[in-house]
Amino acid sequence: FFGWGLFSFMLQAGLTTYYHPGINLKKVHYYSIKLYESLEAETGQAVGFHQPGSVRIASTPVRVDELKYQMTRTHWHPTPQFLIGPEKVQELFPLLNMDKVIAGLYTPGDGHIDPYSLTMALAAGARMYGAQIYNPAPVTGLTPTSDGKWDVQTPHGTIRANRIVNATGFWAREVGKLIGFEHPTIPVHHQYVVTSTLPEVKALKRELAVIRDLEGSYYLRQERDGLLFGPYEKMEKMVLQDSWVRDGVPPGFGKELFESDLDRIMEHVEMAMEMVPVLKNADIINIVSGPITYTPDLLPMVGPHHGARNYWTAIGFGYGVIHAGGIGKFLSDWIRTGEPPYDLIECDPNRYGKWTDVPYMCAKARESYGFNNVVGYPKEERFEGRPTSRTSGLYELLKDKASMGFHAGWEQPHWFYKPGDDTGYKPSFHRTNWFGPVGRECKLVMEKVGVIDLTPFGKFTVKGKDSHKLLDRLFANTMPKVGLTNISHMLTPTGKVYAEVTITQLAPGEFLLITGSGSELHDLRWIEREAVEGGYDVDISNVTDDIGVLGVAGPNSRKVLQKLTDEDMSDAGFKFLHCKSIKLAGTPLRAIRISYTGELGWELYMEQKNLAAVYKAIMEAGQSEGIDNFGTYAMASLRLEKGFRGWGAEMNCDTNPLEAGLDYFIKLNKPADFIGKAALQEIKAKGLKRKLCYITMDTDDIDPEGNETVWHNGKVVGNTTSGAYSYSTQQSLAFAYLPMELCSIGQKVEVELLGRKYTAMVVQEPLVLTEPTRTRLQKKAKGKA
């Protein structure tokens, strides 16, 4: 351990909470608190841990909906959390002005800990188990060795390390630059105020719960016999320490503070005085202003980093104290076992890329800080810093016609506007302005022909003498023959689903791999690591930014494409999961690559610069067939109707492919010893404890999104993974993991949505047949006639 980052979270107010809106980050918080509860007994070091509980205050109806939304995502976790009324809120914090309090989200066991004491206790515990800590020990150089290790240069000499973890707080960019990385982290100025003793606080018989006034955008807790108050300023007022990004952290900066600015936070002070009137009579004895490191999306960067062997990061923690214990356990488990203990892809350091430049990083950090306590809606979009340099060849054509979504730096249409539509981004916990237009787009694809920009897909080529051998080792499916496509899964050693990839063999030994936008470098890092460690003779290229992709889907899609090519586009001439190079009339291209996948209809791959020309030719050719645009919201609904699983929802590093219903794609009898094969054989022999089920439900003006709690006979029995409204069958539907005894067709359960339990039923999947299946059945019916 090197001392650069040892004090990087000691300037914080020390808040600890079980709460997090994310699913698996709840596990990080949970482990941290349980560790801190036992740390003093284990190490002999006092940590100053107070656990009076905390309350997130709702003072508007939409905030109450937000609390209900979060409650349904907590019931299937061990975290204790309760939705409480004003009386209970006042009992936990009797100094509140209750005029605006409607409800609260109460989390027992929350509180605060002394950051300095915690740091010393963690250091003492590390030494107890053999760790050596050098402090101060600035890292002056990092040199990789040919066998994947590192030489770490410090004033104490050079230390050879099997792997390095960059956990250096606001020095993270400095350390990253030593090996050529520009980590997108930036310090922001965070202030908190400590008051003198207040008679009303001193007279209390028990410690006040920590409160978070969401509308006022501040937290407030008891500090001895006074109060500690910390606001999150609006984006136009908050201060970035962007000089550190340009010029580096000043040498020797460690425990110093920034100059405070009370005027900057007076708006929040006044709101706090209104909510907690005793503050009006309080004397301020200290204003602390210190650096907290932010990433563009406020989530940390945790895990192995693409582009350097055995280089890991644990940086960008906006809430360092509560993450410290859980992230330490998460990383140590991953390093020991070779796979993450649970899925935390939202914190993957590889979610960023070259498009994450300094202007974008600064804009997003400012937005994220100012948005700390904004309402957390489903399908949330934040618009600062957009678009990035990563725009597809269609962006300029489509940007004013659609509500755009952000996907790994790309702009991609969510849904398209028509005259009379209520346009713009208008999030809600209920059905909102996009509900009708998305139904229109689903109808378009089911009955006519639609076009969608799929450029954000991650795209890699793998070729060379050992390409087939490498992919056979990485993937559980057999490799497709030349000109064919299949869906394959990379598994972890314990048989969890690390990735889902569409693979096409373009020519002998040359493969095109397609993955989701959010898992581009996540998947590429895994592939490249295996190639290097296994000594495979292959060439792997990331062509994501070079290739544009169009999807053309619907019963009239063959007719439209046939107008543009001499290639036989009939059922017999171009079959399901086949791939060819074709020339399209009316475009400047010699040829484009086209695959028929069924799920998204036809996928056309071409150079990014030619995307607009191909799009225009297709749209012109399809006018008589009723062609139009559709977006990702419609695609999500159509995916669920057809029973297609989605990576990151139905399958991830928390699930195995057998319980996810992916048996068809898993070839346990193939000769190659693919990663996870032995584990899956053992799982299959022991039998499954749960399975992914397909459920429908009748709701009112709300639909499942995923991660809702599933109930049966008053008990929590599972969780949904994704959900949507089925426009074809006029009902809500979802996937959900349920125990085996509740997986029978016709089984009834309840799904909780915004505090209400809706009756749901397990049904046979899919609700809507795929186009190839529909075509096959239609031909069969005609034959019998």
Side-chain angles (χ1 to χ4, degrees):
F1 293 84
F2 304 101
W4 264 34
L6 201 56
F7 298 100
S8 62
F9 66 75
M10 290 169 51
L11 303 174
Q12 300 184 28
L15 299 183
T16 57
T17 177
Y18 285 110
Y19 174 87
H20 196 281
I23 298 305
N24 279 346
L25 273 164
K26 287 180 171 68
K27 295 181 180 180
V28 171
H29 288 212
Y30 186 87
Y31 181 87
S32 291
I33 288 178
K34 294 307 177 186
L35 172 67
Y36 302 162
E37 287 175 346
S38 63
L39 203 55
E40 184 171 342
E42 185 175 359
T43 66
Q45 298 280 326
V47 294
F49 195 15
H50 297 247
Q51 295 182 273
S54 76
V55 180
R56 301 175 71 85
I57 294 173
S59 52
T60 65
V62 73
R63 286 292 187 184
V64 176
D65 275 352
E66 182 183 23
L67 301 190
K68 291 177 180 178
Y69 182 79
Q70 292 303 330
M71 280 299 297
T72 192
R73 283 157 172 74
T74 299
H75 283 135
W76 57 282
H77 287 270
T79 303
Q81 186 172 287
F82 305 93
L83 186 63
I84 60 175
E87 297 82 6
K88 181 65 175 177
V89 173
Q90 189 167 35
E91 178 187 327
L92 292 163
F93 203 104
L95 304 181
L96 282 177
N97 172 3
M98 300 300 295
D99 290 351
K100 294 183 179 180
V101 177
I102 301 176
L105 196 67
Y106 172 46
T107 315
D110 280 8
H112 55 96
I113 195 166
D114 175 46
Y116 179 85
S117 299
L118 173 61
T119 302
M120 295 301 103
L122 290 171
R127 290 190 183 99
M128 282 171 51
Y129 294 103
Q132 299 176 51
I133 299 176
Y134 299 86
N135 186 61
V139 176
T140 57
L142 294 171
T143 305
T145 64
S146 59
D147 59 352
K149 298 181 180 181
W150 290 89
D151 283 337
V152 183
Q153 285 90 44
T154 80
H156 301 270
T158 297
I159 300 175
R160 175 66 58 88
N162 292 329
R163 63 186 58 80
I164 52 177
V165 181
N166 183 348
T168 56
F170 47 73
W171 291 283
R173 282 181 63 83
E174 315 262 321
V175 173
K177 284 182 177 181
L178 293 175
I179 54 175
F181 289 132
E182 293 278 349
H183 294 313
T185 61
I186 185 170
V188 304
H189 289 222
H190 179 65
Q191 301 188 95
Y192 63 84
V193 175
V194 182
T195 76
S196 61
T197 294
L198 289 164
E200 296 89 345
V201 176
K202 189 171 184 178
L204 294 169
K205 294 182 179 179
R206 65 178 183 183
E207 185 174 355
L208 292 166
V210 179
I211 63 166
R212 291 172 174 83
D213 180 359
L214 304 177
E215 293 303 306
S217 190
Y218 63 84
Y219 57 82
L220 188 146
R221 68 167 176 83
Q222 187 172 335
E223 174 70 6
R224 296 186 173 88
D225 291 331
L227 296 173
L228 183 152
F229 156 79
Y232 292 99
E233 305 152 47
K234 291 181 179 178
M235 57 188 295
E236 62 270 17
K237 290 187 177 181
M238 59 84 66
V239 175
L240 295 175
Q241 194 61 31
D242 49 2
S243 65
W244 290 8
V245 174
R246 296 190 307 270
D247 308 321
V249 181
F253 190 96
K255 305 177 194 177
E256 293 83 359
L257 297 173
F258 299 132
E259 185 175 345
S260 61
D261 184 353
L262 187 60
D263 290 341
R264 213 172 69 224
I265 61 174
M266 276 309 298
E267 177 184 358
H268 302 277
V269 171
E270 291 168 359
M271 287 188 283
M273 286 178 174
E274 184 179 355
M275 185 65 78
V276 186
V278 296
L279 278 173
K280 296 176 182 177
N281 304 318
D283 293 324
I284 294 175
I285 61 172
N286 197 14
I287 303 175
V288 178
S289 179
I292 297 181
T293 307
Y294 270 39
T295 63
D297 62 8
L298 191 51
L299 293 174
M301 298 171 62
V302 180
H305 202 287
H306 172 257
R309 291 177 67 190
N310 295 318
Y311 173 69
W312 299 58
T313 61
I315 60 178
F317 292 93
Y319 311 106
V321 167
I322 189 55
H323 284 160
I327 290 296
K329 180 67 162 62
F330 178 84
L331 278 180
S332 60
D333 284 353
W334 191 344
I335 289 169
R336 285 187 309 104
T337 65
E339 64 178 279
Y342 46 86
D343 193 85
L344 212 58
I345 192 172
E346 65 267 40
C347 297
D348 192 288
N350 307 297
R351 67 189 185 273
Y352 298 118
K354 294 178 181 178
W355 50 270
T356 318
D357 56 18
V358 172
Y360 172 81
M361 176 180 68
C362 291
K364 298 307 286 188
R366 186 175 291 279
E367 177 186 55
S368 292
Y369 186 81
F371 275 48
N372 250 295
N373 288 313
V374 298
V375 178
Y377 288 106
K379 292 183 169 64
E380 184 179 60
E381 288 290 325
R382 296 184 179 181
F383 295 95
E384 292 299 317
R386 295 169 50 184
T388 71
S389 59
R390 206 177 206 191
T391 53
S392 85
L394 285 187
Y395 175 68
E396 291 299 325
L397 282 175
L398 302 182
K399 66 178 182 179
D400 296 326
K401 300 178 180 179
S403 179
M404 304 298 283
F406 188 76
H407 299 265
W410 301 96
E411 298 289 326
Q412 189 175 25
H414 278 164
W415 61 280
F416 285 84
Y417 307 144
K418 293 291 183 187
D421 287 345
D422 181 9
T423 61
Y425 172 69
K426 298 180 180 178
S428 174
F429 294 103
H430 302 266
R431 292 173 185 164
T432 183
N433 61 328
W434 59 67
F435 182 77
V438 171
R440 179 177 65 216
E441 292 174 16
C442 289
K443 182 179 175 67
L444 165 77
V445 176
M446 290 300 297
E447 297 179 0
K448 297 178 182 178
V449 55
V451 178
I452 184 171
D453 184 3
L454 299 175
T455 298
F457 280 160
K459 318 167 197 80
F460 323 128
T461 59
V462 180
K463 56 186 176 181
K465 182 168 69 73
D466 294 335
S467 59
H468 197 290
K469 184 179 177 183
L470 169 64
L471 298 181
D472 235 0
R473 167 67 177 160
L474 282 166
F475 290 93
N477 205 345
T478 54
M479 289 302 101
K481 296 178 181 179
V482 175
L484 296 182
T485 298
N486 73 14
I487 295 171
S488 299
H489 299 84
M490 291 193 290
L491 309 181
T492 69
T494 61
K496 302 297 177 60
V497 184
Y498 188 83
E500 181 179 77
V501 178
T502 301
I503 301 178
T504 303
Q505 189 166 185
L506 304 175
E510 181 180 351
F511 296 86
L512 175 65
L513 279 58
I514 307 296
T515 189
S517 57
S519 52
E520 174 195 343
L521 297 181
H522 168 272
D523 295 359
L524 185 60
R525 185 203 65 82
W526 188 269
I527 294 167
E528 290 180 340
R529 186 206 61 180
E530 182 63 25
V532 170
E533 294 183 358
Y536 294 92
D537 183 2
V538 292
D539 177 68
I540 301 170
S541 298
N542 185 0
V543 295
T544 300
D545 290 345
D546 303 325
I547 297 178
V549 187
L550 285 178
V552 183
N556 293 345
S557 57
R558 288 183 187 270
K559 294 179 185 177
V560 173
L561 293 172
Q562 189 66 78
K563 292 181 181 181
L564 295 170
T565 182
D566 293 331
E567 185 74 34
D568 184 359
M569 302 299 291
S570 68
D571 293 337
F574 208 135
K575 297 181 179 178
F576 181 48
L577 294 179
H578 280 57
C579 177
K580 297 180 182 180
S581 288
I582 66 172
K583 177 171 173 55
L584 287 184
T587 72
L589 289 74
R590 275 202 317 275
I592 65 169
R593 186 77 59 180
I594 182 168
S595 295
Y596 181 45
T597 63
E599 179 178 352
L600 295 173
W602 304 87
E603 294 171 18
L604 288 71
Y605 297 84
M606 68 215 73
E607 288 182 80
Q608 187 75 253
K609 65 181 181 181
N610 295 318
L611 192 65
V614 173
Y615 168 82
K616 289 176 180 177
I618 291 172
M619 295 300 283
E620 184 176 343
Q623 289 305 302
S624 60
E625 277 73 32
I627 198 168
D628 212 337
N629 297 294
F630 72 104
T632 57
Y633 287 176
M635 183 172 69
S637 174
L638 294 166
R639 170 184 79 82
L640 279 166
E641 285 184 346
K642 295 177 176 65
F644 289 112
R645 280 88 171 130
W647 193 90
E650 285 68 55
M651 51 179 143
N652 54 27
C653 288
D654 295 328
T655 59
N656 70 64
L658 303 182
E659 64 187 4
L662 299 170
D663 310 54
Y664 176 81
F665 306 102
I666 308 300
K667 302 299 189 287
L668 286 172
N669 59 349
K670 82 171 188 176
D673 184 24
F674 61 84
I675 297 171
K677 183 176 184 178
L680 274 193
Q681 289 170 330
E682 185 176 344
I683 290 169
K684 186 174 183 179
K686 288 182 177 179
L688 300 176
K689 296 181 179 179
R690 65 171 191 167
K691 191 129 185 172
L692 189 69
C693 295
Y694 200 55
I695 60 175
T696 59
M697 66 193 84
D698 293 320
T699 60
D700 31 53
D701 69 336
I702 183 173
D703 299 295
E705 294 277 340
N707 297 317
E708 294 96 357
T709 301
V710 182
W711 298 79
H712 181 63
N713 290 339
K715 294 182 179 180
V716 175
V717 293
N719 63 279
T720 61
T721 53
S722 57
Y725 184 75
S726 166
Y727 294 90
S728 298
T729 63
Q730 302 288 294
Q731 60 190 327
S732 292
L733 69 156
F735 275 119
Y737 276 105
L738 298 175
M740 294 301 290
E741 63 270 21
L742 297 179
C743 291
S744 301
I745 303 300
Q747 174 69 54
K748 290 189 176 180
V749 293
E750 293 176 304
V751 176
E752 183 181 348
L753 303 175
L754 287 189
R756 177 181 167 187
K757 295 174 184 175
Y758 291 85
T759 300
M761 185 170 67
V762 177
V763 297
Q764 183 69 46
E765 60 177 281
L767 286 181
V768 178
L769 298 175
T770 63
E771 189 178 336
T773 304
R774 293 199 305 272
T775 301
R776 187 171 63 249
L777 291 177
Q778 287 168 1
K779 285 184 176 180
K780 191 175 181 180
K782 287 180 180 178
K784 288 183 178 179

